[in-house]
Amino acid sequence: MIYPIVKYGDSVLEKPSATVTVFDDELKKLIEDMFESMYAAHGVGLAAPQIGIAKRIAVIDCSFKEDPAAKMVIINPEIIKKEGRQTHSEGCLSLPDFRENVTRAMKCKIRAQDVNGKWFEADGEELLARAMQHETDHLNGKLFISHVSALKRDLIRRKIKKLQKTGQW
Ligand code: NI
């Protein structure tokens, strides 16, 4: 099932999501649906609050279907180590058509649970590190625009308000 993507303005995107405690078939189905929804929206990462589900689950595929081994599910994730810096243009499915330069760690280590509840650690660098940090932020109720200057953020907010008024958001 393909879920519609929740856009900026919905409070679900700005609240910390709840810890996942049940690892059952329902969760596996939700994760399948999250990958499907992410691909349909042409994204390389998707967090559950972006489909209106306030649970600490995110999916990532920086290869966008090219490499099955690149598919990553992170449940209750935590960034446990950060190293270096990278600045790149970043976007988010919940803020379509807005991109800004965001500085993040170049490398990071994540600790998370898999679909069966098993804890694992994974290292990421460059785009994968960026995705890990971006998606973990989502689960803490934080959007990429919180990493840009207040001036730029206000400009984006104002543009979105205009779009909302004319029903284009
Ligand atoms: Ni996002």
Side-chain angles (χ1 to χ4, degrees):
M1 172 187 168
I2 295 172
Y3 285 86
I5 306 293
V6 172
K7 285 186 191 169
Y8 176 74
D10 192 313
S11 64
V12 73
L13 294 175
E14 293 182 277
K15 284 190 293 210
S17 290
T19 300
V20 175
T21 53
V22 180
F23 296 83
D24 57 4
D25 288 345
E26 210 179 298
L27 177 70
K28 289 185 176 84
K29 172 76 173 93
L30 174 62
I31 287 163
E32 266 176 43
D33 289 345
M34 283 177 66
F35 274 111
E36 211 181 316
S37 305
M38 178 183 81
Y39 293 135
H42 305 285
V44 295
L46 182 77
Q50 293 184 276
I51 53 164
I53 296 172
K55 288 185 181 172
R56 300 182 69 82
I57 309 164
V59 296
I60 294 171
D61 179 1
C62 291
S63 82
F64 198 78
K65 296 197 253 191
E66 285 296 311
D67 176 12
K71 281 176 86 176
M72 182 176 242
V73 178
I74 48 175
I75 300 170
N76 302 324
E78 220 188 312
I79 304 288
I80 54 171
K81 203 171 150 191
K82 287 185 188 178
E83 216 183 296
R85 278 152 75 89
Q86 55 169 324
T87 303
H88 281 294
S89 165
E90 193 170 312
C92 178
L93 294 176
S94 294
L95 287 131
D97 301 328
F98 288 96
R99 295 193 74 85
E100 290 293 338
N101 277 338
V102 176
T103 300
R104 294 190 186 269
M106 173 60 100
K107 288 182 181 181
C108 72
K109 191 187 278 291
I110 203 167
R111 184 174 179 264
Q113 282 170 285
D114 68 12
V115 286
N116 300 307
K118 191 170 174 260
W119 286 98
F120 67 94
E121 287 181 6
D123 294 304
E125 59 178 285
E126 298 186 355
L127 180 61
L128 179 57
R130 176 170 293 280
M132 285 170 166
Q133 292 168 80
H134 179 115
E135 299 313 326
T136 303
D137 268 359
H138 267 302
L139 304 179
N140 294 326
K142 209 169 162 186
L143 297 165
F144 83 92
I145 54 167
S146 67
H147 293 281
V148 306
S149 71
L151 198 74
K152 278 184 182 165
R153 191 161 51 245
D154 284 347
L155 196 65
I156 292 172
R157 282 205 188 112
R158 262 183 280 146
K159 281 184 185 164
I160 291 172
K161 264 189 198 140
K162 264 191 202 162
L163 291 170
Q164 282 169 332
K165 269 187 198 151
T166 53
Q168 296 174 79
W169 187 258

